[in-house]
């Protein structure tokens, strides 16, 4: 914090600046803190060092009677919160399916906050809407999805699923002669909501939000892919409106459903097909994964995250619906005080929010900064690192790689659940590599989910070396 003179000098300089510009001193402080964090994120221990209670104390639990200058607030915030931060941006963070943030995306996100555009209406915030529309069109192009599909920017994959599945629910009911928008759900035909046994839990959640109830789960194979014959059998066992949710990227195995066949079977039964591709949809940006994504574009809707594989800051998910009018029927509202566009859909009509930040702008920035080749390289780099980690770990004594490593996920187990849990605890305490525990195939597993743009071959090798050392310590009982 420097000596008294420094501090007085800094305070005087700040006071001078803030007299001219009320934002300047706070932004300088935030910039300094952000750079400090980012410069250290690669080498600092990955797990947080402080509990929420410790951070509460450091922040000061009492609401002050009198306020303090913005720059002092920011300095306090950055100092107090830092021990309680987890280094998700570390190239050796393998938790969930998330990673860091790309420079262009982070910088654009700062601007989004500075501009503070409520991005609902084309006519009112044309700048932000233009960047988001371009991002949406580029994503359709990159992922081989039908041009002209509606693209909505929601908070994450959960709410993107919600938006897309809302379109699907209403459309299959409409085809059965039932208008949800006016009649509601009660008394109407029941929508058959069908998923694979290993769908992500948020698919059920979106179904709950939509009043669909619990899904019928059909069998999945050893890698978690939906059994297409079982899907066909389930569909044939009943009739009426149906919504089928498939998966691009299983969080344990990284596996992709057999889209070509599953979608054909579902469409033959008149079902709407949604694909949850929260992290895996990006595989479609590389021809290397063409066999995994074949047939994907035949679905009716898709959801993904930009805050996972693409590494933009939270919160950004993307909902894509082929039939734009179906999406608007489900999600749009009209009011005399809203200046609706006459030249296309407004952004608020494609998500379950009216007011929101311009969260698609960082996605535009990252796509612009990577280009088509860069997105493809990013996805391939993540998969290469996953393969290297899997190969390195498989060579260690007693380590079993459980999944077929087709994309970015690696699931390992030791000889028994207790040892697997112990390995994961030791990795957490060591702090150099963060991989999370889960249960899969009725076993405790440690999951390495490669989702950070900075995880390259060198980081993969370092990760294997850390696990090797940790395992040796575990075996030696040290
Ligand atoms: C992360 C994830 C989700 C949920 O995404 P959020 O952005 O956390 O809402 C859904 N499906 C899959 C496969 C995921 O990995």
């Amino acid at each position: 914090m420097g000596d008294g003179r420094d501090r007085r000098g800094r305070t005087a300089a700040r006071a001078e600046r803030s007299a001219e510009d009320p934002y300047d001193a706070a932004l300088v402080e935030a910039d300094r803190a952000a750079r400090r964090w980012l410069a250290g994120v690669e080498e600092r221990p990955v797990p947080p060092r402080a509990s929420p209670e410790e951070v509460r104390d450091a922040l000061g639990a009492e609401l002050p009677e009198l306020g303090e200058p913005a720059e002092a607030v920011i300095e306090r915030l950055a100092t107090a919160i830092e021990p309680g931060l987890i280094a998700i941006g570390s190239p050796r963070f393998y938790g969930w399916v998330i990673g860091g943030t790309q420079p262009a995306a982070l910088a654009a996100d700062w601007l989004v906050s500075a501009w503070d555009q409520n991005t609902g209406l084309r006519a009112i915030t044309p700048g932000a809407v233009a960047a988001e529309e371009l991002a949406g069109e580029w994503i359709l192009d990159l992922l081989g999805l039908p041009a002209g599909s509606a693209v909505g920017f929601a908070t994450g994959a959960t709410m993107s699923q919600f938006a897309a599945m809302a379109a699907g629910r209403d459309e299959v009911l409409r085809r059965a002669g039932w208008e949800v928008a006016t009649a509601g759900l009660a008394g109407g035909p029941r929508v058959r909501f069908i998923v694979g046994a290993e769908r992500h839990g948020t698919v059920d959640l979106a179904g709950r939000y939509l009043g669909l109830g619990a899904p019928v789960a059909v069998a999945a194979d050893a890698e978690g892919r939906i059994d297409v014959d079982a899907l066909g059998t389930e569909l044939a066992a009943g009739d009426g409106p149906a919504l089928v949710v498939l998966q691009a990227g299983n969080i344990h195995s990284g596996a992709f459903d057999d889209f070509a066949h599953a979608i054909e079977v579902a469409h033959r039964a008149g079902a709407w097909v949604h694909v949850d591709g929260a992290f895996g949809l990006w595989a479609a940006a590389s021809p290397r994964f063409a066999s995994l994504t074949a047939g994907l574009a035949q679905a009716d809707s898709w959801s993904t995250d930009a805050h996972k594989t693409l590494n933009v800051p939270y919160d950004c998910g993307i909902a894509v619906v082929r039939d734009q009018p179906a999406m608007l029927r489900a999600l749009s509202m009209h009011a005399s005080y809203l200046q609706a566009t006459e030249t296309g859909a407004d952004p608020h009509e494609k998500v379950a929010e009216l007011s929101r930040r311009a969260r698609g702008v960082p996605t535009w920035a990252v796509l612009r900064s990577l280009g088509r080749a860069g997105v493809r390289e990013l996805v391939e780099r993540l998969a290469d690192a996953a393969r290297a980690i899997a190969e390195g770990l498989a060579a260690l004594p007693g380590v079993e790689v459980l999944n077929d490593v087709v994309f970015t996920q690696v699931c390992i187990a030791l000889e028994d659940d207790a040892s697997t849990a112990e390995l994961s605890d030791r990795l957490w305490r060591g702090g150099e590599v963060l991989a999370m525990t889960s249960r899969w195939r009725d076993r405790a597993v440690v999951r390495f989910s490669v989702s950070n743009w900075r995880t390259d071959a060198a980081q993969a090798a370092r990760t294997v070396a850390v696990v090797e050392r940790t395992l040796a310590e575990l075996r030696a009982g040290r």
Side-chain angles (χ1 to χ4, degrees), residues 341-367:
T341 182
E342 282 162 15
T343 54
D346 279 314
H348 78 83
E349 300 178 280
K350 295 178 276 188
V351 289
E353 289 159 277
L354 186 57
S355 295
R356 67 167 175 86
R357 67 194 266 101
R359 65 166 67 94
V361 171
T363 298
W364 173 87
V366 80
L367 293 176

Side-chain angles (χ1 to χ4, degrees), residues 96-98 155-161 199-203 247-251 276-280 303-305 307-308 314 316-317 447:
W96 302 297
V97 213
I98 58 179
T155 50
T158 305
M159 290 313 289
S160 306
Q161 274 165 189
R199 80 289 183 188
H200 196 269
T202 57
V203 173
Q247 177 167 260
N250 176 291
I251 56 160
D276 168 15
F279 67 97
S303 49
T304 190
D305 269 321
H307 62 219
K308 287 180 177 168
Y314 305 96
C316 189
R447 279 179 62 232

Side-chain angles (χ1 to χ4, degrees), residues 344-435:
D346 279 314
H348 78 83
E349 300 178 280
K350 295 178 276 188
V351 289
E353 289 159 277
L354 186 57
S355 295
R356 67 167 175 86
R357 67 194 266 101
R359 65 166 67 94
V361 171
T363 298
W364 173 87
V366 80
L367 293 176
R368 181 81 215 186
S369 90
L370 291 174
R372 192 185 297 278
V375 175
R376 173 175 162 178
E377 280 161 20
L378 167 67
V379 174
E380 292 176 355
R381 186 163 68 243
L382 300 178
D384 285 344
R387 180 156 294 280
I389 289 170
E391 282 169 6
L393 296 182
L396 302 179
V399 174
E400 197 183 339
V401 174
L402 298 184
N403 64 311
D404 184 10
V405 182
V406 294
F407 195 48
T408 54
Q409 309 300 300
V410 182
C411 255
I412 65 163
L414 300 186
E415 53 283 357
D416 56 66
D417 286 359
S419 306
T420 304
E422 167 86 23
L423 173 64
S424 142
D425 280 355
R426 283 175 178 260
L427 285 172
W428 176 273
R429 276 184 270 126
E432 201 173 336
V433 164
L434 194 152

